[in-house]
Amino acid sequence: MQKYLKKLYKNSKDNYYKELDKDLKNKKKRFIITVNPETLMMSEKDEELKNILDSNYSFVPDGIAVVKAARKLNINVSERITGIDIAEHLLNVANTNKYSMYLFGAKEDVIQELVEKIKKEYKNIKLLGFSNGYVDDKEKIMEDIVKLNPDICMVALGIPYQEKLIYKHFDKAKKGIYIGVGGSFDVLSGSKKRAPKIFIKLNLEWFYRIITEPKRLKRFWNSNVKFMFKIKKKSYKKS
Ligand code: UDP
């Protein structure tokens, strides 16, 4: 687990955004993996996900738990960089520079609402296509996306499906930023509310998500709580 925390992006969010902007300008390719306790805990039982984490893609600290865990193990990660923040940045930068984009994931009404919003508020984005995330043949959609060669591809299918799907097809991509953004389309479309700013500022976004969606509690226990115990044990052994 420590070796994965070591691979996290350590600099500030602004610097990370600058790297993304540069990649887009130079038509480079990048696969962004948002690392949170769920990703790390799942990888212990999921060989394919473990292979992804063993790769050299672009890992960002998605959440306060991984930032704190890294620091506990003397890995100096400066701040959290969440999937939804990156998604918002990509929408803005794509709008400013007329970049092309493909959106894959979420329920049909959610993706429709998001597309409407993009057409209204991000008029300059070249939307090459979109699909809900409940189609039978997700591989085919991903193959088509790669052929369309977008500057940006956001996949919102949840962990670990989004990462696995991108991983399988990313080699064939000529350029583009590919990222799994989890439930971001639900929030960006306006179907779900993101936590109020004060929760975000106090690093309590996870708490807001639990109180507004109590069914998340089990997931939280199995990922975050078990993860924290694991890190505590590791740092205790070190000291
Ligand atoms: N989803 C999907 N297809 C599926 C399963 C899930 O498109 O087969 C979508 C779901 O509608 C939601 C996202 O994937 O928009 C997962 O959201 P969740 O809040 O669970 O992700 P998190 O942000 O917690 O990683």
Side-chain angles (χ1 to χ4, degrees):
M1 200 151 282
Q2 196 166 354
K3 69 175 177 185
Y4 300 136
L5 292 170
K6 272 190 188 153
K7 286 192 195 183
L8 292 172
Y9 185 76
K10 308 214 174 38
N11 222 315
S12 70
K13 184 155 79 175
D14 284 346
N15 277 324
Y16 192 71
Y17 289 169
K18 278 186 197 143
E19 285 190 15
L20 299 185
D21 299 355
K22 215 161 136 192
D23 279 1
L24 285 163
K25 208 170 151 206
N26 297 327
K27 307 221 170 295
K28 288 224 170 121
K29 56 191 254 184
R30 183 190 291 249
F31 174 13
I32 304 173
I33 297 154
T34 57
V35 178
N36 54 44
E38 203 167 19
T39 334
L40 294 170
M41 293 307 289
M42 271 183 189
S43 74
E44 298 202 324
K45 291 182 191 146
D46 184 327
E47 202 57 33
E48 203 182 341
L49 186 60
K50 192 178 158 295
N51 286 339
I52 298 176
L53 293 180
D54 282 328
S55 70
N56 277 322
Y57 295 117
S58 187
F59 299 99
V60 292
D62 177 31
I64 193 62
V66 283
V67 173
K68 290 225 160 124
R71 286 183 190 157
K72 238 192 172 88
L73 301 172
N74 295 324
I75 304 162
N76 206 3
V77 170
S78 72
E79 61 180 324
R80 68 186 194 129
I81 309 176
T82 63
I84 186 152
D85 286 338
I86 296 176
E88 274 182 337
H89 176 73
L90 291 175
L91 285 174
N92 286 323
V93 77
N95 192 39
T96 310
N97 297 286
K98 302 194 168 86
Y99 290 138
S100 62
M101 190 179 277
Y102 196 105
L103 303 171
F104 179 25
K107 295 198 179 111
E108 180 61 22
D109 56 327
V110 170
I111 190 82
Q112 289 285 354
E113 275 171 55
L114 181 56
V115 168
E116 280 314 303
K117 182 173 163 176
I118 288 176
K119 283 183 183 157
K120 270 194 220 133
E121 294 173 30
Y122 301 89
K123 286 196 177 83
N124 297 322
I125 293 180
K126 274 189 227 149
L127 196 60
L128 298 181
F130 62 90
S131 167
N132 73 59
Y134 293 85
V135 288
D136 287 335
D137 199 350
K138 297 191 178 72
E139 300 285 344
K140 172 83 174 63
I141 301 271
M142 209 58 212
E143 268 171 32
D144 292 345
I145 295 175
V146 168
K147 279 187 198 143
L148 284 167
N149 201 21
D151 294 310
I152 296 160
C153 168
M154 297 204 249
V155 182
L157 299 172
I159 299 166
Y161 314 104
Q162 53 195 23
E163 282 75 20
K164 287 183 182 177
L165 201 59
I166 298 174
Y167 182 64
K168 267 197 205 159
H169 296 264
F170 185 69
D171 269 358
K172 282 170 256 136
K174 291 195 193 79
K175 66 161 197 294
I177 290 184
Y178 284 72
I179 178 171
V181 292
S184 299
F185 291 180
D186 300 303
V187 176
L188 293 170
S189 65
S191 316
K192 258 189 207 171
K193 275 207 168 63
R194 193 174 175 185
K197 283 211 171 76
I198 183 77
F199 281 78
I200 299 176
K201 207 168 160 221
L202 295 173
N203 289 321
L204 287 172
E205 192 162 11
W206 57 273
F207 180 64
Y208 177 84
R209 291 187 92 179
I210 290 176
I211 52 173
T212 51
E213 290 175 76
K215 63 176 189 304
R216 280 186 179 272
L217 192 58
K218 192 167 167 224
R219 238 172 102 180
F220 184 79
W221 179 267
N222 282 328
S223 52
N224 293 54
V225 178
K226 287 189 180 167
F227 173 73
M228 280 184 296
F229 277 121
K230 224 180 163 90
I231 296 295
K232 234 190 173 105
K233 240 182 177 168
K234 266 213 163 70
S235 61
Y236 179 72
K237 262 192 212 151
K238 271 185 104 189
S239 59

